[in-house]
Amino acid sequence: MSSTPSPFPARIELTGEGLVLRDWTEADLAAMPDLFDHPDVAHWTPIVSPFDETAARARLDKARQLRAEGTSILLAITTDGGAPLGEVMLRRAPEGTEIGYAVGPAHRGQGLAARAVRVMAAYAFGELGAEQVILELEAENASSVAVAKRTGFSLLDVPLIEGEEKGRPFVLQTWGLNRP
């Protein structure tokens, strides 16, 4: 294990766009299955399915581990710092600073994903010094393509990412947004 400290602070709360993006807490465990145990989330994301309270505990523990390692931050999407409505993730990887998100089915149609992406991108540019942030998504995921377009991302001319997850093949496009 590296002795290099995490580039992420121990606690993060980002505000903007009418949102408060905050750390997941123990109090959120009971709400997480309602957000993530859904066919759309299972299909389009690597989040485990079915997603129950055991999966919620594992996700919270993994989020804390990834933060400590300096790899990723996973934040609850809220409007006021209270009840979680979804999640936004920032991952530092060799291919770039990647943002990902999932919004609970009961909270879709409010622009939460696009707003959370804009807030997280501003954090990546302003606090982490990223020159570009990326989204990796499937072309058939119309909702995510719409988020990419609404937030100013452009489809990059890079190789597609092919793989398999949960027994399903996928092909991801890479969308990029450069530092303003």
Side-chain angles (χ1 to χ4, degrees):
M1 179 168 219
S2 171
S3 62
T4 304
S6 170
F8 302 124
R11 291 187 40 110
I12 298 178
E13 183 174 284
L14 307 176
T15 59
E17 301 268 340
L19 298 178
V20 176
L21 308 180
R22 60 157 178 84
D23 292 315
W24 288 104
T25 69
E26 307 288 327
D28 297 320
L29 291 173
M32 291 171 81
D34 286 340
L35 300 175
F36 301 133
D37 191 37
H38 188 271
D40 287 345
V41 175
H43 185 78
W44 298 117
T45 77
I47 294 173
V48 302
S49 177
F51 196 97
D52 56 15
E53 288 193 35
T54 300
R57 165 51 63 195
R59 188 151 184 90
L60 178 61
D61 292 346
K62 185 70 170 177
R64 290 173 175 166
Q65 175 190 344
L66 293 171
R67 164 98 51 102
E69 293 171 355
T71 306
S72 302
I73 52 175
L74 287 77
L75 301 177
I77 300 171
T78 77
T79 55
D80 58 3
L85 310 173
E87 176 178 86
V88 63
M89 176 271 308
L90 183 138
R91 182 174 71 97
R92 298 184 98 173
E95 61 274 14
T97 302
E98 179 188 3
I99 296 174
Y101 47 85
V103 174
H107 310 292
R108 295 181 185 158
Q110 303 172 45
L112 294 170
R115 292 187 285 155
V117 165
R118 283 192 292 266
V119 172
M120 191 64 92
Y123 174 78
F125 294 137
E127 299 299 320
L128 302 180
E131 292 299 319
Q132 182 181 62
V133 293
I134 60 172
L135 302 173
E136 294 176 344
L137 51 95
E138 294 182 61
E140 296 81 19
N141 186 343
S143 295
S144 280
V145 169
V147 167
K149 290 177 179 179
R150 272 197 310 273
T151 54
F153 283 73
S154 301
L155 186 58
L156 300 179
D157 186 18
V158 298
L160 298 171
I161 301 163
E162 297 183 46
E164 184 175 312
E165 189 138 46
K166 301 179 198 170
R168 179 180 85 78
F170 65 81
V171 178
L172 300 176
Q173 299 175 324
T174 303
W175 293 70
L177 178 68
N178 294 327
R179 174 190 285 280

